[in-house]
Amino acid sequence: MKIAAAQTVVASNIADNGHGIRALISSAAGQGVRLINFCEGALSGYGKFQIVRQEDWKTFDWASQETELSGDS
């Protein structure tokens, strides 16, 4: 099985992150990759600078993340 590690530009915009991830998945699949690993937070774009306190999760855009995960974007 061919595997890959991938790094995208991780931004706070979940839809942009999803687009970049899907592009790399497509490219890797075309090269025979069947398992691809992305960095933590590649889709959500969250970083330590965004989530400092527990309350910060209340402002996270869960709906956008769910849309990207479900493939409805």
Side-chain angles (χ1 to χ4, degrees):
M1 176 171 54
K2 196 170 186 180
I3 61 172
Q7 178 66 53
T8 58
V9 174
V10 180
S12 59
N13 185 300
I14 295 170
D16 288 347
N17 294 338
H19 178 74
I21 289 168
R22 286 189 299 280
L24 279 178
I25 290 172
S26 180
S27 175
Q31 298 175 49
V33 171
R34 294 296 169 252
L35 175 65
I36 188 167
N37 183 67
F38 291 91
C39 69
E40 180 181 358
L43 178 60
S44 65
Y46 79 86
K48 292 181 180 177
F49 65 92
Q50 293 169 291
I51 308 297
V52 177
R53 298 169 292 128
Q54 184 69 23
E55 301 83 48
D56 294 339
W57 284 108
K58 293 177 184 175
T59 62
F60 182 76
D61 190 352
W62 294 105
S64 291
Q65 177 159 300
E66 186 59 35
T67 296
E68 290 299 320
L69 289 172
S70 69
D72 293 338
S73 58

